[in-house]
């Protein structure tokens, strides 16, 4: 199946500091594209992979699971590690969970992580039935475009495949167990008004990680897809300042300071 227009992966070759951006469940790199382009303009090397089963049609996600999504971001991370002196990982929603898993598994190879409305658990009371329901119900209504900003929209599926949702549930449980292994500096930004991932997920993540360099920021004017919302510029600027602080003196002047 052809990739939806605007949903393509993004790659920019910049300096010796690299950033991997991980998009969310049923979403695409389009939700991260303005962020990626901002970082690229600062001289960073940037990679935004398209997760398997995403960016085409929701039926294609039925054939994928968390192992496929994680394998793709792990592959992209290893490419950046081979290319760059310092590498950071950023994630939105399920992309935040993927980021936390990478941080737990790769340790000091990752210099820091940025999380935006990261997912920790499926809170829908019907989620417990997914192991059985996935055999009878193919999909449920979509979760895309939870955005406060008028006119902004997210390229994402209008249906959630139940088999993939069950895999996401399993993955989030796995990541929750990994959290004490996360030791890198963390910038976590979350929206008090989020209709997809409640603030309690961010609270649990902050309570369970072992990182000592932690900054929490509230995105008061945005909903779930904050990277396309009113607080987008704050996310972009704060995340670049986070990278510049931790990668000071590495690579080109542009990569370290925004030049």
């Amino acid at each position: 199946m052809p990739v939806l227009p605007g949903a393509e992966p993004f790659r920019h070759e910049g300096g010796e500091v690299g950033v991997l951006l991980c998009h969310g469940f049923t979403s695409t790199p389009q939700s991260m594209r303005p962020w990626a382009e901002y970082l690229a303009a600062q001289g960073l090397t940037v990679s935004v992979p398209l997760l398997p089963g995403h960016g085409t049609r929701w039926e294609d996600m039925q054939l994928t699971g968390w192992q496929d999504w994680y394998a793709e971001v792990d592959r992209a991370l290893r490419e950046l590690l081979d290319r760059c002196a310092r590498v950071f990982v950023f994630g939105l929603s399920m992309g935040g969970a993927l980021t936390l898993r990478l941080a737990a598994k790769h340790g000091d190879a990752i210099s820091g992580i940025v999380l935006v409305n990261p997912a920790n658990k499926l809170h829908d009371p019907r989620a417990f039935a997914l192991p059985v329901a996935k055999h009878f119900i193919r999909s449920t209504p979509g979760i895309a475009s939870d955005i406060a900003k008028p006119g902004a929209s997210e390229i994402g599926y209008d249906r959630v495949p139940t088999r993939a949702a069950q895999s996401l549930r399993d993955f989030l449980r796995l990541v929750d167990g990994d959290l004490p292994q996360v030791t890198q500096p963390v910038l976590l930004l979350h929206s008090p008004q989020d209709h997809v991932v409640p603030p309690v997920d961010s609270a649990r993540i902050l309570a369970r990680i072992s990182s000592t360099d932690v900054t929490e920021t509230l995105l008061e004017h945005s909903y779930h897809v904050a990277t396309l919302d009113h607080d987008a510029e704050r996310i972009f600027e704060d995340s670049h300042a986070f990278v510049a602080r931790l990668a000071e003196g590495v690579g080109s002047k542009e990569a370290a300071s925004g030049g």
Side-chain angles (χ1 to χ4, degrees):
M1 285 293 295
V3 174
L4 296 168
E8 303 86 0
F10 176 88
R11 175 81 183 202
H12 173 80
E13 295 297 332
E16 293 182 32
V17 177
V19 180
L20 169 65
L21 293 98
C22 306
H23 71 75
F25 184 69
T26 74
S27 188
T28 72
Q30 176 260 353
S31 64
M32 313 295 270
R33 186 69 178 253
W35 195 3
E37 290 177 345
Y38 176 91
L39 297 170
Q42 312 310 311
L44 306 182
T45 293
V46 183
S47 175
V48 193
L50 173 63
L51 301 181
H54 293 69
T56 53
R57 56 177 192 162
W58 70 262
E59 291 88 348
D60 294 333
M61 274 195 78
Q62 296 281 41
L63 305 175
T64 66
W66 75 260
Q67 296 90 341
D68 305 297
W69 313 327
Y70 179 76
E72 180 60 19
V73 295
D74 186 74
R75 179 201 62 77
L77 173 63
R78 291 175 189 276
E79 283 188 353
L80 285 176
L81 290 172
D82 287 342
R83 161 75 172 77
C84 300
R86 290 283 189 94
V87 174
F88 296 79
V89 185
F90 299 177
L92 167 66
S93 192
M94 180 185 76
L98 291 167
T99 297
L100 289 163
R101 173 80 170 172
L102 290 171
K105 296 304 177 185
H106 287 269
D108 292 342
I110 295 174
S111 295
I113 62 175
V114 177
L115 308 170
V116 178
N117 292 323
N120 177 259
K121 180 181 178 181
L122 292 189
H123 293 271
D124 189 319
R126 298 168 294 179
F128 78 93
L130 279 170
V132 174
K134 68 181 181 181
H135 298 292
F136 303 99
I137 302 171
R138 295 189 69 205
S139 69
T140 57
I143 56 173
S145 288
D146 184 36
I147 303 171
K149 186 177 181 179
S153 63
E154 176 188 19
I155 297 176
Y157 294 146
D158 60 1
R159 305 294 298 177
V160 174
T162 50
R163 286 183 181 273
Q166 169 62 28
S167 187
L168 172 60
R169 184 179 184 230
D170 293 342
F171 179 61
L172 294 178
R173 286 176 168 175
L174 183 68
V175 172
D176 189 66
D178 289 339
L179 291 179
Q181 300 175 49
V182 176
T183 59
Q184 297 88 344
V186 175
L187 171 61
L188 190 152
L189 308 101
H190 66 96
S191 306
Q193 294 188 73
D194 185 327
H195 306 97
V196 178
V197 174
V200 67
D201 281 27
S202 290
R204 180 168 176 83
I205 289 166
L206 290 174
R208 287 180 54 75
I209 59 176
S210 300
S211 305
T212 56
D213 181 346
V214 177
T215 303
E216 179 183 10
T217 299
L218 293 183
L219 304 173
E220 299 280 3
H221 308 292
S222 301
Y223 293 162
H224 183 62
V225 192
T227 51
L228 300 178
D229 216 326
H230 292 294
D231 293 297
E233 287 297 324
R234 180 172 191 180
I235 295 171
F236 305 165
E237 293 169 2
D238 286 5
S239 65
H240 178 249
F242 175 78
V243 169
R245 171 172 68 86
L246 294 169
E248 185 177 5
V250 175
S252 67
K253 179 181 177 182
E254 290 79 11
S257 68

